[in-house]
Amino acid sequence: MRDRHQVLCAKIEEANHQYYVLDKPEIPDAEYDRMMIELTAIEACHPELKTTTSPSVRVGGQPLAVFKPVSHRIPMLSLDNVFSAEDLRAWELRTCKSWLPGSICCEPKIDGLAVSLIYVRGMLVQAATRGDGATGEDVTENVRTIKAIPLTLRGEGWPRLLEVRGEVFMPKAGFEAMNAKARVAGEKVFVNPRNAAAGSLRQLDSRITASRPLSFYAYGIGEGGEMMANFHSERLAQLKAWGLPVNPEVMLKVEAEGCLGFYNDILSRRAELPYEIDGVVYKVDAIHLQQELGFVSRAPRWAIAHKFPAQEEMTLLEGVDFQVGRTGAITPVAKLKPVFVGGVTVSSSTLHNADEIARLDLMIGDTVIVRRAADVIPQVVSVVKDLRPAAGVPVAFPDQCPVCASTIERAEGEAVARCTGGLLCEAQRKEAIKHFASRKAMNVDGLGDKLVEQLVDRSMIRTPADLFNLRAGEVAELDRMGKQSALKVMAAIARSRNTTLPRFLFALGIREVGEATAINLANHFLSLDAIRGASVEQLLEVTDVGATVATHIYSFMRQPHSNEVIDALLAAGIQWPAIERKETAEQPFSGKVFVLTGTLSTMTRQAAEEALRMLGAKVAVSVSSRTHVVVAGSNAGSKLKDAERLEIEVWDEEKLIQEIGVHA
Ligand code: IVH
């Protein structure tokens, strides 16, 4: 039993080492779980085998009442920062150049929390947080649950007492997954991976820590270093050999220029790295130079952090605007006191919808944390509740459209609230005209957003059709226009008369009709008249058109207002070349409408659809009286019932394969 226990301990820790240190997982998760179960079972019968270095401590133990204080024999320092190449060159002059040219060890600066790990004779005996640098908290039980941290060191030659220092952090993927779970369960979500790591490590109940996806990278040595190599980079390599994870990005460089190369490389890959970083750290590699350089107050002279532009900043929420989109969707937009974050000045940020405002528990006058990661639109991530003014005003979601005063409605189960004013709403009209003129729609060159807004504000146009009645003289009078630019816009409007049916359909701005659907509609019906007259059932036969889209198209085509606009546009001379009916007469399934349902075992649904289309069939998403064949795989549900009810021919997979085979 004792032997089996030892074998399991070794195998489990080997698996952890392969995964966290070597980054090469070798055994499947299921096998790992199985070994853990067996180990726990053995220890249940033989409690004497359950030591502090058994992998069973990874699941956590009895909760503590308090964390004991731990004083650090060698203080845990912090780092000074530089924010620019210039500052870095100044640091270089102050440090390396005045002593000796030499290598600089460059490391990512992970956004987690610093811990000290004490190994005595290769066994992890204590783990502590940094605290104030002099005294931290004893988090040994919690740290033992972090699988990246070895409970016993590998190899040999360790100092009798070795203090490893490094960063506990939560990888981005684990953070996202944990927050997603918390959201579903209605629990508290963490604002960023650093808070999540700190919150997870500082749990009195180590079983909670065990359930959190924490990881670790070693970046230095406290006590015991004098027994080790004379270069920091060699010490890191030694730690790795002893089984501690060391960041694979760590690299030696020379001079500020070399460091800047490292900085730029890491910055360019920041988004792809699996963990959050807030900069890089440069360390003089030679330990004797570190010792000569020494410390100033709480930071070493031999190391410096080169920070990336902050991705999060605090600022004031000055107000909330409610914008009305083309389909009436009301979007709350935070008006912020301008703040420099992630390399740009941010003064507004979308709040998405009413649920988001409720989630943030937002009040006007609040101090908020704004985040702007590279290439991502700025977001308000949280409210700093401690700074909330006594006179904070709750954000009230309006029940009337701020532009046209029509009622705002929110359909059940939808996150979006909408103005019900339709094209009576000036905001929706403006957006509809902007969309009509946009590049992928009618492509009216030079008719930008600002111009459309002026035209609507001055009642020069009400609908897209009015564009074709504008006169150059009146357009020339507008702000930032002149005779030349007016003539250009007029020419572009005139040119846009010659278009294609798909572009025209897309330009109408029917809800959920994007470019692809517009093309499918045109190819299916061939003429605008056919689309205007189509029933919901007929619309459902169009490739990729489902019940929602079909209903949107159907009701759009029956609204008096839409019909007036379409008629006026046609009267203004909008035209397109006729679409030729594709030569499909010889195809075996031409004119036949198929619906697929259930799971196919020999091919994907997509492959089956493609094969049918190749033979001339149309594939629709729902069953109607116009469906010819329903192909039912296993677990077919309501569509199969519909087919039976409507007495439509049903094929099973075998029949499908046979038919495709015969005709292919
Ligand atoms: S060295 C005396 N190296 O940054 C040197 N720190 O601002 C002390 N950090 O408390 C730290 N990655 O939590 C060092 N590669 C790295 C680091 C790193 C992250 C954190 C650490 C420290 C803080 C200092």
Side-chain angles (χ1 to χ4, degrees), residues 584-619:
T584 52
E586 282 161 36
Q587 290 185 305
F589 296 156
S590 50
K592 293 241 189 276
V593 179
F594 282 73
V595 172
L596 283 81
T597 178
T599 318
L600 300 175
S601 58
T602 57
M603 62 183 119
T604 64
R605 178 88 78 88
Q606 203 183 355
E609 286 179 12
E610 261 167 38
L612 288 168
R613 283 201 196 101
M614 294 280 285
L615 297 170
K618 296 223 154 60
V619 181

mmCIF file of all heavy atoms in Angstrom, residues 584-619:
data_model
loop_
_atom_site.group_PDB
_atom_site.id
_atom_site.type_symbol
_atom_site.label_atom_id
_atom_site.label_comp_id
_atom_site.label_asym_id
_atom_site.label_seq_id
_atom_site.Cartn_x
_atom_site.Cartn_y
_atom_site.Cartn_z
ATOM 1 N N THR A 584 -31.581 25.679 -64.367
ATOM 2 C CA THR A 584 -31.613 24.587 -63.401
ATOM 3 C C THR A 584 -32.459 23.426 -63.894
ATOM 4 O O THR A 584 -32.638 22.445 -63.206
ATOM 5 C CB THR A 584 -32.187 25.072 -62.056
ATOM 6 O OG1 THR A 584 -33.417 25.706 -62.329
ATOM 7 C CG2 THR A 584 -31.245 25.990 -61.336
ATOM 8 N N ALA A 585 -32.962 23.565 -65.121
ATOM 9 C CA ALA A 585 -33.926 22.586 -65.608
ATOM 10 C C ALA A 585 -33.403 21.153 -65.566
ATOM 11 O O ALA A 585 -34.133 20.225 -65.252
ATOM 12 C CB ALA A 585 -34.336 22.935 -67.025
ATOM 13 N N GLU A 586 -32.090 21.030 -65.813
ATOM 14 C CA GLU A 586 -31.586 19.666 -65.892
ATOM 15 C C GLU A 586 -31.243 19.076 -64.541
ATOM 16 O O GLU A 586 -30.885 17.911 -64.438
ATOM 17 C CB GLU A 586 -30.334 19.635 -66.775
ATOM 18 C CG GLU A 586 -30.690 19.685 -68.237
ATOM 19 C CD GLU A 586 -29.507 20.120 -69.062
ATOM 20 O OE1 GLU A 586 -28.379 19.734 -68.706
ATOM 21 O OE2 GLU A 586 -29.732 20.855 -70.030
ATOM 22 N N GLN A 587 -31.330 19.904 -63.520
ATOM 23 C CA GLN A 587 -30.924 19.372 -62.224
ATOM 24 C C GLN A 587 -32.062 18.564 -61.597
ATOM 25 O O GLN A 587 -33.217 18.969 -61.651
ATOM 26 C CB GLN A 587 -30.493 20.517 -61.316
ATOM 27 C CG GLN A 587 -29.179 21.109 -61.798
ATOM 28 C CD GLN A 587 -28.673 22.156 -60.863
ATOM 29 O OE1 GLN A 587 -29.383 23.098 -60.558
ATOM 30 N NE2 GLN A 587 -27.456 21.985 -60.409
ATOM 31 N N PRO A 588 -31.684 17.448 -60.976
ATOM 32 C CA PRO A 588 -32.712 16.521 -60.504
ATOM 33 C C PRO A 588 -33.645 17.105 -59.443
ATOM 34 O O PRO A 588 -34.815 16.745 -59.391
ATOM 35 C CB PRO A 588 -31.908 15.349 -59.947
ATOM 36 C CG PRO A 588 -30.510 15.812 -59.831
ATOM 37 C CD PRO A 588 -30.330 16.909 -60.819
ATOM 38 N N PHE A 589 -33.125 17.981 -58.580
ATOM 39 C CA PHE A 589 -33.977 18.478 -57.496
ATOM 40 C C PHE A 589 -34.398 19.931 -57.692
ATOM 41 O O PHE A 589 -34.829 20.581 -56.752
ATOM 42 C CB PHE A 589 -33.260 18.368 -56.134
ATOM 43 C CG PHE A 589 -32.958 16.961 -55.702
ATOM 44 C CD1 PHE A 589 -31.927 16.708 -54.809
ATOM 45 C CD2 PHE A 589 -33.709 15.888 -56.174
ATOM 46 C CE1 PHE A 589 -31.635 15.415 -54.400
ATOM 47 C CE2 PHE A 589 -33.426 14.589 -55.768
ATOM 48 C CZ PHE A 589 -32.387 14.353 -54.887
ATOM 49 N N SER A 590 -34.255 20.473 -58.935
ATOM 50 C CA SER A 590 -34.550 21.894 -59.046
ATOM 51 C C SER A 590 -36.033 22.133 -58.762
ATOM 52 O O SER A 590 -36.895 21.330 -59.120
ATOM 53 C CB SER A 590 -34.135 22.451 -60.403
ATOM 54 O OG SER A 590 -34.648 21.648 -61.406
ATOM 55 N N GLY A 591 -36.268 23.221 -58.070
ATOM 56 C CA GLY A 591 -37.643 23.562 -57.707
ATOM 57 C C GLY A 591 -38.120 22.848 -56.455
ATOM 58 O O GLY A 591 -39.189 23.136 -55.938
ATOM 59 N N LYS A 592 -37.310 21.921 -55.945
ATOM 60 C CA LYS A 592 -37.741 21.181 -54.747
ATOM 61 C C LYS A 592 -37.183 21.844 -53.487
ATOM 62 O O LYS A 592 -36.035 22.262 -53.445
ATOM 63 C CB LYS A 592 -37.215 19.741 -54.800
ATOM 64 C CG LYS A 592 -37.825 18.922 -55.911
ATOM 65 C CD LYS A 592 -38.568 17.748 -55.304
ATOM 66 C CE LYS A 592 -39.040 16.741 -56.279
ATOM 67 N NZ LYS A 592 -40.199 16.845 -56.983
ATOM 68 N N VAL A 593 -38.053 21.932 -52.470
ATOM 69 C CA VAL A 593 -37.633 22.553 -51.222
ATOM 70 C C VAL A 593 -37.420 21.463 -50.170
ATOM 71 O O VAL A 593 -38.323 20.674 -49.892
ATOM 72 C CB VAL A 593 -38.686 23.559 -50.721
ATOM 73 C CG1 VAL A 593 -38.227 24.186 -49.403
ATOM 74 C CG2 VAL A 593 -38.921 24.638 -51.773
ATOM 75 N N PHE A 594 -36.227 21.429 -49.618
ATOM 76 C CA PHE A 594 -35.876 20.434 -48.601
ATOM 77 C C PHE A 594 -35.740 21.104 -47.242
ATOM 78 O O PHE A 594 -35.330 22.262 -47.147
ATOM 79 C CB PHE A 594 -34.519 19.781 -48.930
ATOM 80 C CG PHE A 594 -34.598 18.737 -50.012
ATOM 81 C CD1 PHE A 594 -34.791 19.109 -51.333
ATOM 82 C CD2 PHE A 594 -34.473 17.391 -49.707
ATOM 83 C CE1 PHE A 594 -34.861 18.152 -52.337
ATOM 84 C CE2 PHE A 594 -34.537 16.428 -50.696
ATOM 85 C CZ PHE A 594 -34.736 16.805 -52.015
ATOM 86 N N VAL A 595 -36.073 20.354 -46.201
ATOM 87 C CA VAL A 595 -35.783 20.810 -44.845
ATOM 88 C C VAL A 595 -35.066 19.672 -44.144
ATOM 89 O O VAL A 595 -35.494 18.519 -44.237
ATOM 90 C CB VAL A 595 -37.064 21.189 -44.081
ATOM 91 C CG1 VAL A 595 -36.751 21.481 -42.608
ATOM 92 C CG2 VAL A 595 -37.739 22.402 -44.722
ATOM 93 N N LEU A 596 -33.931 19.987 -43.472
ATOM 94 C CA LEU A 596 -33.198 18.949 -42.751
ATOM 95 C C LEU A 596 -33.448 19.099 -41.259
ATOM 96 O O LEU A 596 -33.502 20.216 -40.741
ATOM 97 C CB LEU A 596 -31.702 19.053 -43.029
ATOM 98 C CG LEU A 596 -31.278 18.508 -44.393
ATOM 99 C CD1 LEU A 596 -31.521 19.514 -45.484
ATOM 100 C CD2 LEU A 596 -29.834 18.094 -44.367
ATOM 101 N N THR A 597 -33.569 17.968 -40.580
ATOM 102 C CA THR A 597 -33.781 18.033 -39.135
ATOM 103 C C THR A 597 -33.115 16.828 -38.477
ATOM 104 O O THR A 597 -32.886 15.810 -39.123
ATOM 105 C CB THR A 597 -35.289 18.115 -38.811
ATOM 106 O OG1 THR A 597 -35.451 18.121 -37.399
ATOM 107 C CG2 THR A 597 -36.060 16.942 -39.388
ATOM 108 N N GLY A 598 -32.775 16.972 -37.203
ATOM 109 C CA GLY A 598 -32.129 15.876 -36.477
ATOM 110 C C GLY A 598 -30.660 15.753 -36.835
ATOM 111 O O GLY A 598 -30.112 16.559 -37.585
ATOM 112 N N THR A 599 -30.027 14.723 -36.298
ATOM 113 C CA THR A 599 -28.586 14.550 -36.468
ATOM 114 C C THR A 599 -28.299 13.460 -37.491
ATOM 115 O O THR A 599 -28.867 12.382 -37.424
ATOM 116 C CB THR A 599 -27.943 14.123 -35.129
ATOM 117 O OG1 THR A 599 -28.539 14.898 -34.096
ATOM 118 C CG2 THR A 599 -26.451 14.341 -35.145
ATOM 119 N N LEU A 600 -27.414 13.769 -38.419
ATOM 120 C CA LEU A 600 -27.009 12.772 -39.408
ATOM 121 C C LEU A 600 -25.745 12.091 -38.894
ATOM 122 O O LEU A 600 -24.927 12.730 -38.230
ATOM 123 C CB LEU A 600 -26.743 13.451 -40.755
ATOM 124 C CG LEU A 600 -27.943 14.194 -41.344
ATOM 125 C CD1 LEU A 600 -27.532 14.924 -42.623
ATOM 126 C CD2 LEU A 600 -29.088 13.234 -41.645
ATOM 127 N N SER A 601 -25.593 10.796 -39.204
ATOM 128 C CA SER A 601 -24.441 10.101 -38.629
ATOM 129 C C SER A 601 -23.267 10.023 -39.594
ATOM 130 O O SER A 601 -22.131 9.932 -39.171
ATOM 131 C CB SER A 601 -24.846 8.699 -38.184
ATOM 132 O OG SER A 601 -25.371 7.998 -39.289
ATOM 133 N N THR A 602 -23.524 10.087 -40.901
ATOM 134 C CA THR A 602 -22.412 9.892 -41.833
ATOM 135 C C THR A 602 -21.871 11.188 -42.403
ATOM 136 O O THR A 602 -20.833 11.196 -43.056
ATOM 137 C CB THR A 602 -22.842 9.002 -43.013
ATOM 138 O OG1 THR A 602 -23.972 9.623 -43.629
ATOM 139 C CG2 THR A 602 -23.212 7.614 -42.558
ATOM 140 N N MET A 603 -22.583 12.279 -42.223
ATOM 141 C CA MET A 603 -22.075 13.557 -42.749
ATOM 142 C C MET A 603 -22.624 14.692 -41.893
ATOM 143 O O MET A 603 -23.579 14.499 -41.138
ATOM 144 C CB MET A 603 -22.494 13.747 -44.206
ATOM 145 C CG MET A 603 -23.995 13.816 -44.420
ATOM 146 S SD MET A 603 -24.389 13.949 -46.169
ATOM 147 C CE MET A 603 -25.328 12.479 -46.417
ATOM 148 N N THR A 604 -22.032 15.863 -42.038
ATOM 149 C CA THR A 604 -22.546 16.993 -41.282
ATOM 150 C C THR A 604 -23.784 17.518 -41.994
ATOM 151 O O THR A 604 -23.993 17.257 -43.185
ATOM 152 C CB THR A 604 -21.529 18.143 -41.204
ATOM 153 O OG1 THR A 604 -21.310 18.627 -42.539
ATOM 154 C CG2 THR A 604 -20.219 17.697 -40.598
ATOM 155 N N ARG A 605 -24.582 18.266 -41.256
ATOM 156 C CA ARG A 605 -25.778 18.873 -41.813
ATOM 157 C C ARG A 605 -25.388 19.762 -42.989
ATOM 158 O O ARG A 605 -26.022 19.756 -44.046
ATOM 159 C CB ARG A 605 -26.455 19.685 -40.697
ATOM 160 C CG ARG A 605 -27.683 20.432 -41.070
ATOM 161 C CD ARG A 605 -28.930 19.581 -40.918
ATOM 162 N NE ARG A 605 -29.380 19.452 -39.545
ATOM 163 C CZ ARG A 605 -30.220 20.307 -38.953
ATOM 164 N NH1 ARG A 605 -30.670 21.350 -39.604
ATOM 165 N NH2 ARG A 605 -30.604 20.114 -37.717
ATOM 166 N N GLN A 606 -24.270 20.482 -42.788
ATOM 167 C CA GLN A 606 -23.815 21.418 -43.818
ATOM 168 C C GLN A 606 -23.468 20.688 -45.119
ATOM 169 O O GLN A 606 -23.845 21.119 -46.206
ATOM 170 C CB GLN A 606 -22.593 22.163 -43.300
ATOM 171 C CG GLN A 606 -22.379 23.478 -43.981
ATOM 172 C CD GLN A 606 -21.100 24.124 -43.470
ATOM 173 O OE1 GLN A 606 -20.453 23.624 -42.552
ATOM 174 N NE2 GLN A 606 -20.738 25.231 -44.074
ATOM 175 N N ALA A 607 -22.786 19.536 -44.978
ATOM 176 C CA ALA A 607 -22.397 18.778 -46.168
ATOM 177 C C ALA A 607 -23.639 18.280 -46.901
ATOM 178 O O ALA A 607 -23.708 18.310 -48.140
ATOM 179 C CB ALA A 607 -21.508 17.614 -45.763
ATOM 180 N N ALA A 608 -24.631 17.852 -46.138
ATOM 181 C CA ALA A 608 -25.866 17.349 -46.753
ATOM 182 C C ALA A 608 -26.566 18.478 -47.505
ATOM 183 O O ALA A 608 -27.033 18.312 -48.643
ATOM 184 C CB ALA A 608 -26.777 16.778 -45.677
ATOM 185 N N GLU A 609 -26.617 19.655 -46.870
ATOM 186 C CA GLU A 609 -27.264 20.795 -47.523
ATOM 187 C C GLU A 609 -26.560 21.143 -48.824
ATOM 188 O O GLU A 609 -27.185 21.392 -49.852
ATOM 189 C CB GLU A 609 -27.260 22.020 -46.587
ATOM 190 C CG GLU A 609 -28.259 21.888 -45.458
ATOM 191 C CD GLU A 609 -28.251 23.091 -44.512
ATOM 192 O OE1 GLU A 609 -27.641 24.130 -44.857
ATOM 193 O OE2 GLU A 609 -28.872 22.981 -43.444
ATOM 194 N N GLU A 610 -25.216 21.146 -48.750
ATOM 195 C CA GLU A 610 -24.457 21.487 -49.942
ATOM 196 C C GLU A 610 -24.733 20.501 -51.070
ATOM 197 O O GLU A 610 -24.942 20.887 -52.219
ATOM 198 C CB GLU A 610 -22.960 21.504 -49.629
ATOM 199 C CG GLU A 610 -22.470 22.908 -49.385
ATOM 200 C CD GLU A 610 -21.092 22.924 -48.765
ATOM 201 O OE1 GLU A 610 -20.261 22.074 -49.151
ATOM 202 O OE2 GLU A 610 -20.863 23.772 -47.886
ATOM 203 N N ALA A 611 -24.750 19.219 -50.719
ATOM 204 C CA ALA A 611 -24.986 18.188 -51.731
ATOM 205 C C ALA A 611 -26.356 18.396 -52.372
ATOM 206 O O ALA A 611 -26.505 18.294 -53.601
ATOM 207 C CB ALA A 611 -24.886 16.810 -51.085
ATOM 208 N N LEU A 612 -27.354 18.710 -51.565
ATOM 209 C CA LEU A 612 -28.706 18.926 -52.105
ATOM 210 C C LEU A 612 -28.739 20.150 -53.019
ATOM 211 O O LEU A 612 -29.335 20.129 -54.093
ATOM 212 C CB LEU A 612 -29.713 19.081 -50.961
ATOM 213 C CG LEU A 612 -30.026 17.784 -50.192
ATOM 214 C CD1 LEU A 612 -30.784 18.088 -48.906
ATOM 215 C CD2 LEU A 612 -30.852 16.836 -51.073
ATOM 216 N N ARG A 613 -28.088 21.208 -52.564
ATOM 217 C CA ARG A 613 -28.087 22.431 -53.390
ATOM 218 C C ARG A 613 -27.397 22.203 -54.720
ATOM 219 O O ARG A 613 -27.806 22.730 -55.742
ATOM 220 C CB ARG A 613 -27.402 23.576 -52.640
ATOM 221 C CG ARG A 613 -28.276 24.177 -51.574
ATOM 222 C CD ARG A 613 -27.832 25.584 -51.198
ATOM 223 N NE ARG A 613 -28.466 25.916 -49.935
ATOM 224 C CZ ARG A 613 -27.865 25.869 -48.753
ATOM 225 N NH1 ARG A 613 -26.587 25.575 -48.680
ATOM 226 N NH2 ARG A 613 -28.533 26.148 -47.667
ATOM 227 N N MET A 614 -26.310 21.397 -54.689
ATOM 228 C CA MET A 614 -25.597 21.093 -55.924
ATOM 229 C C MET A 614 -26.529 20.436 -56.931
ATOM 230 O O MET A 614 -26.355 20.547 -58.138
ATOM 231 C CB MET A 614 -24.442 20.120 -55.653
ATOM 232 C CG MET A 614 -23.341 20.671 -54.800
ATOM 233 S SD MET A 614 -22.246 21.709 -55.752
ATOM 234 C CE MET A 614 -21.359 20.448 -56.636
ATOM 235 N N LEU A 615 -27.505 19.731 -56.420
ATOM 236 C CA LEU A 615 -28.446 19.036 -57.302
ATOM 237 C C LEU A 615 -29.666 19.908 -57.585
ATOM 238 O O LEU A 615 -30.692 19.428 -58.053
ATOM 239 C CB LEU A 615 -28.850 17.699 -56.683
ATOM 240 C CG LEU A 615 -27.689 16.706 -56.512
ATOM 241 C CD1 LEU A 615 -28.102 15.509 -55.681
ATOM 242 C CD2 LEU A 615 -27.182 16.235 -57.880
ATOM 243 N N GLY A 616 -29.587 21.178 -57.230
ATOM 244 C CA GLY A 616 -30.640 22.117 -57.608
ATOM 245 C C GLY A 616 -31.687 22.368 -56.539
ATOM 246 O O GLY A 616 -32.595 23.179 -56.729
ATOM 247 N N ALA A 617 -31.564 21.687 -55.394
ATOM 248 C CA ALA A 617 -32.594 21.845 -54.364
ATOM 249 C C ALA A 617 -32.447 23.177 -53.643
ATOM 250 O O ALA A 617 -31.372 23.777 -53.647
ATOM 251 C CB ALA A 617 -32.486 20.708 -53.356
ATOM 252 N N LYS A 618 -33.546 23.615 -53.028
ATOM 253 C CA LYS A 618 -33.487 24.745 -52.102
ATOM 254 C C LYS A 618 -33.561 24.127 -50.718
ATOM 255 O O LYS A 618 -34.309 23.171 -50.501
ATOM 256 C CB LYS A 618 -34.691 25.660 -52.309
ATOM 257 C CG LYS A 618 -34.701 26.298 -53.668
ATOM 258 C CD LYS A 618 -35.080 27.763 -53.556
ATOM 259 C CE LYS A 618 -34.523 28.565 -54.713
ATOM 260 N NZ LYS A 618 -34.993 28.121 -56.028
ATOM 261 N N VAL A 619 -32.780 24.668 -49.783
ATOM 262 C CA VAL A 619 -32.855 24.139 -48.425
ATOM 263 C C VAL A 619 -33.429 25.224 -47.531
ATOM 264 O O VAL A 619 -32.895 26.328 -47.468
ATOM 265 C CB VAL A 619 -31.470 23.684 -47.918
ATOM 266 C CG1 VAL A 619 -31.588 23.123 -46.510
ATOM 267 C CG2 VAL A 619 -30.877 22.645 -48.857
#
